[in-house]
Amino acid sequence: MNDTEARFRLSTSTSRPEPDSGAQPQKPLRADAARNRAKILDAAREVFSEYGRDAQMDEIARRAGVGVGTVYRNFPTKQSLAVAIVEQRFDAISDWVAREMLTDPDPWRALERSFQWCAEMQLRDRGYAEIVGTLAGAAPAQHLSGGPLGPSVEQVEGLLGLTAAWVERAKAAGVVRADLKASDMPPLYAALASIVQAGVLDWRRSVEIVLDGLRPRPAR
Amino acid sequence: MNDTEARFRLSTSTSRPEPDSGAQPQKPLRADAARNRAKILDAAREVFSEYGRDAQMDEIARRAGVGVGTVYRNFPTKQSLAVAIVEQRFDAISDWVAREMLTDPDPWRALERSFQWCAEMQLRDRGYAEIVGTLAGAAPAQHLSGGPLGPSVEQVEGLLGLTAAWVERAKAAGVVRADLKASDMPPLYAALASIVQAGVLDWRRSVEIVLDGLRPRPAR
DNA sequence: GTTCAAGCGGAACCGGAACTCCGTTTCCGG
DNA sequence: CCGGAAACGGAGTTCCGGTTCCGCTTGAAC
């Protein structure tokens, strides 16, 4: 699973690590350096998904076939590397939602599939719950602090927008409760991810209950 | 908030730290030692609830007004201290369920209150989500490994029993879906705790959705 | 009051993991 | 093909936090 990364945003791309925003020309990296940067990102993705925040820099360097020094030349700190990975993951989520969830002609089925996908993601990536949790916790007006890790404000708003679009479609189709709001959804995904993370084998059962909670309220 | 601990199980009580199970007589601790052990447990409770697993032994010792050495004489390892605290918390949960949830004449209201309580607990104890997650993940036949931390098998089964009792009452009263099982509940509490942990301010909204999912299914 | 084992404090130890430094290697413009 | 700037590697440094050790203090049995 390599080079699935061409479509990611500049800040994590195979160009020079941004010393600061604003200076755009950025002489491109030397050929080997660019290659290494890509290898590092791939390795980091792998190691973070296996060990979550306990991933070790040495291990990442080893899997990238590179010295630690090289890792640190590209990402001055473990934190910054983690952020880059989180941003990639976040974009992957947005991609999926846009591609799979918004194009499905049946919004309810799209919802079911999205929960399924969320659970699978958590199963294969130990850091997933935290990412989704970040999104859920990034409430509307909470953009001030910009917690420890976390995707950018634009990323959060983008995904929230996609979610809102789905909610509209679903409500129009009458398949969900009439009072559903876009902001209701992220916490539910975060919840599912954490359930899977906790090792609950029968997470589908929890999904079933939540889905029932999302259905249109019966006319009184 | 001191000495709320008389009712906890022996292994965390103010008696000698168990060198092994089986040797029961256990000369009682010297008076000052017993006092210190209690102070340590109180401090640990406090620090763990503030910092979760990042709690530091030195800080615990400091708040207990005791040297680190004393902490280690009572709990040979940070892990063992953490386990003691987890067991206390777990018992507190069981207590609450037995006292508040099973005695409430209205099972539905008891359910609502329990979610409320769960959220409040998470708010005041950073380690709460992990405990509830452990419970949820401790599926029926999964008692083999005995993960990293975690309450004892008997504790888990005890609480599961209480939950089952509530489910029966609620079903008898016809206030919940007919197919509800005791094992459905722990994941929902774990989910709520994690939502609150993620910093979702409007967690009541998520609760509302889940509650709707728990209501009796409308006759088709 | 004396004695001494139980208990205490906290400086020192130690391992692990993030990060730095610098001698060596590699790319690439001329 | 050469020179030197850019990049590399990985041993070494630093920091941090759990755990140990040992000389001192104190409770309690006589």
Side-chain angles (χ1 to χ4, degrees):
Chain A
M1 64 162 71
N2 224 8
D3 58 8
T4 32
E5 112 177 35
R7 55 186 143 87
F8 291 121
R9 51 207 294 274
L10 253 183
S11 73
T12 57
S13 77
T14 309
S15 64
R16 183 166 296 269
E18 66 288 13
D20 202 23
S21 53
Q24 69 286 28
Q26 252 8 322
K27 191 197 308 180
L29 290 175
R30 229 168 65 175
D32 59 340
R35 226 175 301 127
N36 279 336
R37 185 177 169 86
K39 284 193 288 182
I40 289 167
L41 280 167
D42 284 339
R45 210 148 41 225
E46 213 181 282
V47 176
F48 273 116
S49 70
E50 260 174 66
Y51 300 99
R53 54 169 63 269
D54 296 340
Q56 292 182 13
M57 295 301 266
D58 288 15
E59 173 69 7
I60 291 172
R62 204 182 57 69
R63 291 209 202 175
V66 132
V68 247
T70 301
V71 175
Y72 278 96
R73 198 163 318 97
N74 281 281
F75 300 94
T77 192
K78 176 180 175 175
Q79 177 73 355
S80 70
L81 178 50
V83 169
I85 298 302
V86 167
E87 288 180 339
Q88 287 195 353
R89 294 255 144 89
F90 202 94
D91 281 341
I93 296 174
S94 292
D95 275 8
W96 192 91
V97 171
R99 183 162 28 77
E100 303 282 335
M101 202 168 175
L102 284 177
T103 61
D104 194 318
D106 176 351
W108 183 262
R109 198 185 43 161
L111 177 64
E112 289 176 335
R113 287 202 303 133
S114 73
F115 279 136
Q116 167 86 28
W117 187 72
C118 175
E120 279 165 9
M121 280 292 138
Q122 173 60 41
L123 246 21
R124 88 170 58 127
D125 177 359
R126 211 182 122 179
Y128 193 74
E130 199 173 339
I131 297 176
V132 184
T134 301
L135 170 64
Q142 237 169 276
H143 288 326
L144 16 133
S145 64
L149 307 194
S152 70
V153 176
E154 305 87 66
Q155 285 184 303
V156 170
E157 285 179 350
L159 184 44
L160 240 38
L162 295 177
T163 306
W166 174 81
V167 169
E168 285 321 308
R169 292 208 332 133
K171 286 209 281 203
V175 295
V176 296
R177 51 194 299 160
D179 66 345
L180 192 64
K181 294 177 310 232
S183 61
D184 294 338
M185 303 307 295
L188 298 181
Y189 290 105
L192 173 55
S194 83
I195 286 174
V196 173
Q197 184 174 41
V200 174
L201 302 178
D202 190 17
W203 51 266
R204 282 166 202 281
R205 174 62 177 166
S206 306
V207 169
E208 200 179 305
I209 291 170
V210 170
L211 283 173
D212 282 342
L214 289 171
R215 290 203 155 86
R217 295 291 81 207
R220 99 229 40 208
Chain B
M1 61 163 72
N2 223 7
D3 58 9
T4 33
E5 108 175 39
R7 55 188 144 85
F8 290 121
R9 51 208 293 275
L10 254 182
S11 73
T12 58
S13 75
T14 310
S15 63
R16 185 167 295 272
E18 65 287 14
D20 203 22
S21 54
Q24 69 285 29
Q26 251 10 318
K27 193 198 305 182
L29 290 176
R30 228 167 67 175
D32 57 342
R35 227 176 299 129
N36 279 337
R37 186 178 168 86
K39 284 194 289 184
I40 289 167
L41 279 167
D42 283 339
R45 210 148 40 224
E46 213 181 282
V47 176
F48 273 115
S49 71
E50 260 174 64
Y51 299 99
R53 56 167 63 266
D54 296 340
Q56 291 182 13
M57 294 300 266
D58 287 15
E59 174 68 7
I60 291 172
R62 205 182 56 68
R63 290 210 203 175
V66 132
V68 247
T70 302
V71 175
Y72 277 94
R73 200 161 319 95
N74 280 280
F75 301 93
T77 191
K78 178 180 175 176
Q79 177 74 356
S80 68
L81 178 51
V83 168
I85 298 301
V86 167
E87 290 180 338
Q88 288 194 353
R89 294 255 144 89
F90 203 94
D91 281 342
I93 296 173
S94 292
D95 275 9
W96 192 92
V97 172
R99 184 161 26 77
E100 302 283 334
M101 202 167 176
L102 284 176
T103 62
D104 194 318
D106 177 350
W108 183 263
R109 198 183 44 160
L111 177 64
E112 290 176 334
R113 289 202 300 131
S114 73
F115 280 135
Q116 167 85 30
W117 187 72
C118 175
E120 280 166 7
M121 280 291 138
Q122 174 59 41
L123 246 22
R124 87 171 58 127
D125 177 358
R126 210 181 125 180
Y128 193 74
E130 199 174 338
I131 297 175
V132 184
T134 301
L135 171 64
Q142 237 170 276
H143 288 326
L144 17 134
S145 64
L149 305 195
S152 69
V153 176
E154 305 86 65
Q155 283 184 305
V156 170
E157 286 179 350
L159 184 44
L160 241 38
L162 295 176
T163 307
W166 174 82
V167 169
E168 284 322 308
R169 292 210 329 135
K171 286 210 283 203
V175 295
V176 296
R177 54 195 297 162
D179 66 346
L180 191 65
K181 294 177 310 236
S183 61
D184 294 338
M185 303 308 295
L188 299 180
Y189 290 106
L192 173 56
S194 83
I195 287 175
V196 172
Q197 183 174 41
V200 175
L201 302 178
D202 190 15
W203 50 266
R204 282 165 202 281
R205 174 62 177 166
S206 306
V207 169
E208 200 178 305
I209 291 170
V210 169
L211 283 173
D212 282 341
L214 289 171
R215 290 203 155 86
R217 297 289 82 209
R220 99 229 41 204

